[in-house]
Amino acid sequence: MKNTLLIALLCLLISCKNNSETDKETHVNTTENTSEFNSGTSDSLIYPEEKHFKSIKQITFGGDNAEAYWSFDDKQIVFQSNNSEWGLECDQMFLMNVGETFKKSQPPMVSTGKGRTTCAYFLPDNKHFVYASTHLADENCPEVPLRKNGKYVWPVYDSFDIFVSDLQGNITAQLTTEPGYDAEATVSPKGDKIVFTSTRSGDLELYTMNIDGTEVKQITNELGYDGGAFFSPDGSKLIFRSSRPRTEAEIKEYKDLLAQGLVQPTEMELYICNADGSDLKQITNLGNANWSPFFHPSGKKILFSSNFEAERGFPFNLYMIDIDGKNLERVTHSETFDAFPVFSNDGKSLIFSSNRNNGGGRDTNLFIAEWQD
């Protein structure tokens, strides 16, 4: 699944998210407003080879922070965090205005504070967002298996369903009720469709639905984990990550793990298709884990995270590639972890998660960079 759990597990590769009403009252937004990008140590956060970053600003300062997505008007960002200093035991959703930072303060929580949440994304009215949560099944954080038979695994909780919330954290609708995992929802820039991952077919496949949850349509149908999908800027295409077990042993291992609500994330490539699932093509064949893809504002390139150049599973860096799989370019030059790149709707800014500037620890924070081609 696409959440800060990924970071915890990937950080293992490197060394090897109350009561909801109380939360809403106590999580008062007393942020430090710094509207300028270039403030103090901005230049020191950019490595010399990172030519696409004109300037950069760090937004969060502790815990694992990821899956940050812009409102359609680019004025706000919703993200998830498990920052223990905010009283969290697992991922919950938070809201910020663009230009705010949270070094000595806490943003408002906009999820229930119960269960585990993942993958929030704004709806086109800028007043609501979708996200997945396990809170209906259990108000407590579900257990997190990190290994199975000595291998890294991600849990695929069958208690995840997709909800709509307002910006005060009040759930206004439930979009999925099918048994099994429903999560990883993102919204078309056209504002008409949602794409998400579900196990309702018995495998991890992509589906689309209208933003009110109607007209669900299965998009992929090959064995393997299809997830982390995003629409192109014009809404005509989908980019996503996938595992594709091929050998008899790989297929058996994949099916056995999935039967236990687990997947293994170490071998994934990027695929692209039309929004209706037609014209499916693989665009990377790099090896290791290629994931968290997002379209460049032009719609002609993909930004994504990969460790394909890493011999020991790390570092993860951001790369850019044409939608036909040509002209691969390295964008970041970290020694640890860069992932979850998301362009603002005006194409001027990129928000991403990184281990940079964490004092050598495992905190993964949000950064906003001014983008230049």
Side-chain angles (χ1 to χ4, degrees):
M1 56 190 170
K2 305 183 308 178
N3 56 16
T4 53
L5 177 58
L6 305 182
I7 296 172
L9 297 175
L10 291 171
C11 284
L12 283 176
L13 283 170
I14 290 171
S15 65
C16 68
K17 237 145 160 154
N18 299 324
N19 214 317
S20 61
E21 291 304 315
T22 302
D23 284 336
K24 293 171 194 172
E25 293 172 1
T26 58
H27 288 187
V28 179
N29 187 354
T30 57
T31 59
E32 306 163 5
N33 284 298
T34 55
S35 60
E36 295 299 321
F37 275 99
N38 236 338
S39 57
T41 61
S42 174
D43 290 344
S44 67
L45 299 178
I46 303 176
Y47 299 121
E49 305 92 337
E50 295 176 340
K51 64 181 182 179
H52 288 292
F53 295 166
K54 183 178 180 180
S55 65
I56 195 169
K57 184 173 73 171
Q58 185 170 348
I59 303 303
T60 62
F61 295 83
D64 291 326
N65 305 272
E67 293 283 354
Y69 300 110
W70 308 78
S71 57
F72 275 59
D73 59 10
D74 288 334
K75 293 182 178 180
Q76 292 183 298
I77 291 169
V78 63
F79 68 99
Q80 62 197 54
S81 179
N82 65 3
N83 192 339
S84 60
E85 293 187 2
W86 297 350
L88 304 176
E89 295 182 2
C90 60
D91 301 327
Q92 294 294 331
M93 296 301 169
F94 295 86
L95 182 69
M96 74 177 188
N97 296 319
V98 172
E100 295 176 329
T101 62
F102 304 101
K103 189 170 186 178
K104 298 180 180 179
S105 57
Q106 182 173 330
M109 182 188 290
V110 289
S111 53
T112 64
K114 303 172 184 178
R116 179 184 293 276
T117 69
T118 190
C119 310
Y121 210 93
F122 271 95
L123 291 175
D125 65 359
N126 298 308
K127 297 178 181 179
H128 296 84
F129 64 95
V130 294
Y131 73 105
S133 177
T134 66
H135 72 274
L136 290 185
D138 193 335
E139 295 185 359
N140 299 309
C141 295
E143 292 184 8
V144 183
L146 299 180
R147 288 178 177 268
K148 184 70 175 182
N149 298 326
K151 297 182 178 181
Y152 297 105
V153 291
W154 293 346
V156 182
Y157 299 115
D158 60 10
S159 51
F160 265 130
D161 273 304
I162 299 171
F163 301 86
V164 178
S165 173
D166 63 23
L167 300 189
Q168 289 71 49
N170 303 303
I171 291 176
T172 61
Q174 182 175 345
L175 298 184
T176 62
T177 57
E178 294 281 335
Y181 178 84
D182 291 305
E184 307 182 26
T186 65
V187 183
S188 170
K190 293 173 62 178
D192 60 339
K193 294 288 184 180
I194 292 171
V195 62
F196 65 103
T197 294
S198 177
T199 56
R200 63 187 63 193
S201 73
D203 191 17
L204 284 154
E205 305 286 6
L206 294 182
Y207 294 77
T208 59
M209 60 182 167
N210 295 334
I211 60 173
D212 63 359
T214 61
E215 295 187 19
V216 177
K217 178 182 178 180
Q218 186 172 341
I219 299 300
T220 59
N221 54 21
E222 292 186 37
L223 185 69
Y225 179 15
D226 297 331
F230 293 89
F231 288 91
S232 59
D234 65 0
S236 68
K237 298 182 183 299
L238 290 168
I239 184 72
F240 61 96
R241 64 167 185 250
S242 181
S243 67
R244 284 285 188 265
R246 301 296 186 190
T247 69
E248 185 176 339
E250 289 172 344
I251 290 171
K252 182 181 186 306
E253 181 179 36
Y254 174 79
K255 288 182 175 181
D256 287 349
L257 284 173
L258 187 58
Q260 302 171 66
L262 302 169
V263 293
Q264 193 175 324
T266 51
E267 296 289 337
M268 295 185 290
E269 300 290 348
L270 302 185
Y271 288 73
I272 193 169
C273 65
N274 292 330
D276 63 0
S278 63
D279 198 23
L280 176 67
K281 297 177 182 177
Q282 183 176 342
I283 66 168
T284 64
N285 190 21
L286 300 172
N288 288 357
N290 304 276
W291 62 295
S292 68
F294 198 86
F295 277 92
H296 180 272
S298 68
K300 298 179 180 180
K301 296 177 178 289
I302 305 296
L303 209 60
F304 66 101
S305 180
S306 178
N307 66 341
F308 81 93
E309 293 185 296
E311 295 181 359
R312 295 180 295 162
F314 69 94
F316 280 81
N317 275 287
L318 301 184
Y319 297 82
M320 191 158 54
I321 195 170
D322 293 351
I323 60 173
D324 62 2
K326 299 178 181 178
N327 298 316
L328 180 67
E329 176 189 358
R330 185 168 170 177
V331 173
T332 64
H333 292 261
S334 170
E335 294 299 323
T336 52
F337 178 86
D338 291 328
F340 303 106
V342 180
F343 280 100
S344 57
N345 294 281
D346 64 11
K348 297 179 180 179
S349 302
L350 182 79
I351 192 165
F352 66 103
S353 296
S354 179
N355 289 152
R356 65 185 67 197
N357 199 40
N358 68 359
R362 292 186 176 181
D363 288 348
T364 304
N365 288 299
L366 298 177
F367 296 78
I368 297 180
E370 284 184 298
W371 180 267
Q372 55 189 9
D373 284 319

